[in-house]
Amino acid sequence: MLKEHHKWFEHSIPLIASENIPSPAVREAIISDFGNRYAEGWPGERVYAGCVYIDKVEVECMSLAKKLFKAEFADVRPISGVVANLVIYSAFSNPGDVMLASSIPAGGHISHGKKEHSGTAGLVHGLEIEFYPFDAEQMTIDVDKTKKKVEELKAANKLPKIAMFGGSLFLFPHPVKELSDFLKSYNIHINYDAAHVAGLIAGNQFQDPLREGADTLTMSTHKTLFGPQGGLVLGFEKHGDVIKKATFPGLTSSHHIHHMAAKAITFAESLEFGKDYAKQVIKNAKALAEALSDFGFKVLGEKRGFTESHQIALNVLDYSDGGKVEGDLEKANIIVNRQLIPGDIKAGRNYFHPGGIRLGVSEITRLGMKESEMKEIASFIKNVIIDKKNPKRLVSNVKSFRRNYQKVQYCFDKKLGAYEYVKLR
Ligand code: DSN
């Protein structure tokens, strides 16, 4: 099954916005013996022996992370974006406190969610979640309405402890600069979840949350930041101690040392190639959005040029629903995910049959695709959704389209095929 999966992806168009393809060097770190070890604690203060080389790598990893994101402090141990967010909840709030965050149809992530939706913040840390007012035309948080809401919450004795920016459906920068002075005047901790856009921030092509007023930055390390699956917390030295304790012993025991080493490689790759990569990602996303719009698709964010990130969101209700479209595209080897979009919940649609799909160009950009390939991809998508061609009949065209894009670009060593199955025995 593993081999079948590798073959399938070699022949597919992977458009899941939360995924990417790591370099051969990152894959090599993942299969190293670091993955069989424990290194609890901080380098130099471990509670296990055997960490001589692990400590050296982790010190280098933290230093590369700080350099890449121009941060005073880095904790490279959180094992995922969800755990990185839990570190922030644990360090800067108590159960019962209020957090401002985006709802899922407005782009929020499950880890920012309410208890009744089994969201991590509510279910695991007991936070009360209040949603930001959202401007669906501009596809971002509404600044004036947010200020009003915070004042109302204060009057109701529910002043938020944390304001969470960032999310999962993330087309345009969030108004951190516009809201940070206001939020700080109420002593609200500002965290920015950069999971989706970390690679764009690293390449200086999105916003710069730590300079715009965010206190901390959380992320996963495997979306536009093209590394291994993992998490990262960044911020200022003054918050270092409380973050360190929340990560260990609070939220990790072993911190997946092999992935930590692979993060170090990713940060080095991003310092070297990240700017060119991020620029091409955004060009590709815009080209794909424009081509889809030219074919007649309803692309969200039209008033602002569709996207400033790696993502595109389509409203597919003219043809069927997001769940059905996701399934049809998969049969044609085009991998996307269905997406709740603004208006879905009010209209009674749910996560299984939402109004939209979300597309991301991070992985196909890492494979070397440029604007002209985006036009071809838009045409495949039109064939399935608008022309209702039999998706299975498109598979051979998709396969030959993919033939020339089999190596990972924007990395130091391109010997291994992107989806090559590595046999060790
Ligand atoms: N659910 C994925 C996303 O944000 O798209 C990853 O957490």
Side-chain angles (χ1 to χ4, degrees):
M1 290 299 157
L2 292 172
K3 287 179 188 158
E4 295 272 327
H5 173 88
H6 276 245
K7 264 276 159 275
W8 186 31
F9 267 69
E10 204 175 296
H11 296 147
S12 299
I13 301 176
L15 296 171
I16 301 284
S18 46
E19 295 177 357
N20 210 324
I21 184 81
S23 68
V26 163
R27 287 175 68 189
E28 195 172 318
I30 291 172
I31 56 168
S32 72
D33 183 64
F34 271 25
N36 308 316
R37 304 296 145 203
Y38 269 85
E40 292 181 346
W42 197 253
E45 304 164 14
R46 305 291 195 194
V47 300
Y48 281 72
C51 298
V52 174
Y53 297 102
I54 292 170
D55 280 9
K56 287 186 180 170
V57 173
E58 194 160 315
V59 167
E60 185 64 25
C61 185
M62 290 190 282
S63 142
L64 287 165
K66 288 191 270 189
K67 187 169 175 198
L68 182 62
F69 290 98
K70 300 179 218 59
E72 286 179 13
F73 173 82
D75 192 334
V76 298
R77 298 170 300 171
I79 60 165
S80 69
V82 171
V83 170
N85 284 338
L86 268 169
V87 166
I88 297 303
Y89 306 154
S90 309
F92 300 104
S93 70
N94 288 308
D97 284 341
V98 175
M99 180 170 85
L100 265 179
S102 295
S103 70
I104 301 250
H109 185 249
I110 46 164
S111 62
H112 312 164
K114 295 186 180 202
K115 183 170 184 176
E116 66 241 50
H117 301 142
S118 303
T120 313
L123 188 72
V124 182
H125 195 62
L127 290 175
E128 297 287 327
I129 306 303
E130 290 286 340
F131 292 141
Y132 286 109
F134 189 72
D135 181 336
E137 218 163 69
Q138 298 294 314
M139 285 301 286
T140 193
I141 292 164
D142 188 308
V143 172
D144 292 336
K145 288 186 183 157
T146 296
K147 288 183 178 171
K148 195 159 168 265
K149 179 154 186 172
V150 170
E151 274 151 11
E152 283 165 8
L153 286 168
K154 181 174 169 24
N157 213 13
K158 288 179 71 181
L159 187 66
K161 217 40 194 294
I162 299 178
M164 172 67 86
F165 289 96
S168 250
L169 176 63
F170 203 0
L171 302 174
F172 301 103
H174 273 174
V176 181
K177 207 171 39 217
E178 293 80 350
L179 281 167
S180 59
D181 284 346
F182 171 81
L183 294 168
K184 282 185 177 169
S185 72
Y186 287 103
N187 236 351
I188 298 172
H189 181 93
I190 302 174
N191 185 69
Y192 184 105
D193 182 341
H196 270 272
V197 294
L200 308 181
I201 292 172
N204 292 319
Q205 304 302 311
F206 200 61
Q207 60 189 131
D208 189 2
L210 290 177
R211 255 57 55 192
E212 291 170 23
D215 297 298
T216 45
L217 194 64
T218 50
M219 64 187 70
S220 53
T221 49
H222 50 267
K223 297 183 169 71
T224 49
L225 187 62
F226 34 51
Q229 294 217 337
L232 175 64
V233 177
L234 296 158
F236 296 91
E237 204 53 69
K238 63 179 178 188
H239 295 132
D241 272 349
V242 63
I243 291 172
K244 277 160 79 171
K245 283 187 190 132
T247 303
F248 176 84
L251 285 149
T252 54
S253 169
S254 165
H255 54 278
H256 299 184
I257 325 292
H258 49 332
H259 284 219
M260 180 278 293
K263 287 174 200 173
I265 295 165
T266 305
F267 302 148
E269 287 172 349
S270 189
L271 281 163
E272 186 77 16
F273 308 103
K275 190 168 187 179
D276 289 346
Y277 171 73
K279 277 187 176 166
Q280 191 60 49
V281 164
I282 294 167
K283 280 194 223 164
N284 283 352
K286 284 179 184 291
L288 182 56
E290 273 156 27
L292 289 163
S293 170
D294 289 347
F295 280 134
F297 282 107
K298 279 190 187 142
V299 185
L300 302 196
E302 184 175 5
K303 285 234 157 90
R304 299 182 68 185
F306 306 117
T307 183
E308 293 291 335
S309 75
H310 60 305
Q311 296 189 3
I312 298 118
L314 297 188
N315 175 334
V316 294
L317 290 166
D318 286 347
Y319 315 103
S320 56
D321 66 64
K324 170 90 174 46
V325 163
E326 176 192 277
D328 287 344
L329 287 169
E330 190 187 56
K331 288 188 196 119
N333 284 11
I334 301 169
I335 318 292
V336 309
N337 69 271
R338 61 186 184 275
Q339 177 72 44
L340 281 166
I341 54 175
D344 272 351
I345 301 294
K346 256 193 200 140
R349 287 185 287 276
N350 62 31
Y351 175 66
F352 292 100
H353 298 284
I357 57 169
R358 185 186 65 171
L359 314 174
V361 300
S362 326
E363 187 162 345
I364 52 176
T365 305
R366 194 121 203 256
L367 293 169
M369 294 190 197
K370 300 249 158 63
E371 289 93 316
S372 55
E373 284 74 48
M374 299 306 114
K375 295 200 175 117
E376 289 187 64
I377 292 173
S379 162
F380 286 133
I381 293 173
K382 170 184 176 278
N383 289 163
V384 176
I385 305 180
I386 299 183
D387 306 338
K388 302 216 181 295
K389 288 197 178 151
N390 182 344
K392 291 202 168 132
R393 295 231 172 101
L394 284 170
V395 168
S396 59
N397 294 348
V398 169
K399 270 189 186 173
S400 51
F401 167 75
R402 266 304 306 276
R403 196 164 294 137
N404 294 329
Y405 304 97
Q406 292 299 338
K407 291 279 165 95
V408 176
Q409 308 297 325
Y410 307 97
C411 65
F412 295 109
D413 183 327
K414 301 173 188 167
K415 253 196 330 234
L416 191 73
Y419 303 89
E420 204 171 316
Y421 184 83
V422 180
K423 211 165 172 321
L424 294 182
R425 67 194 161 81

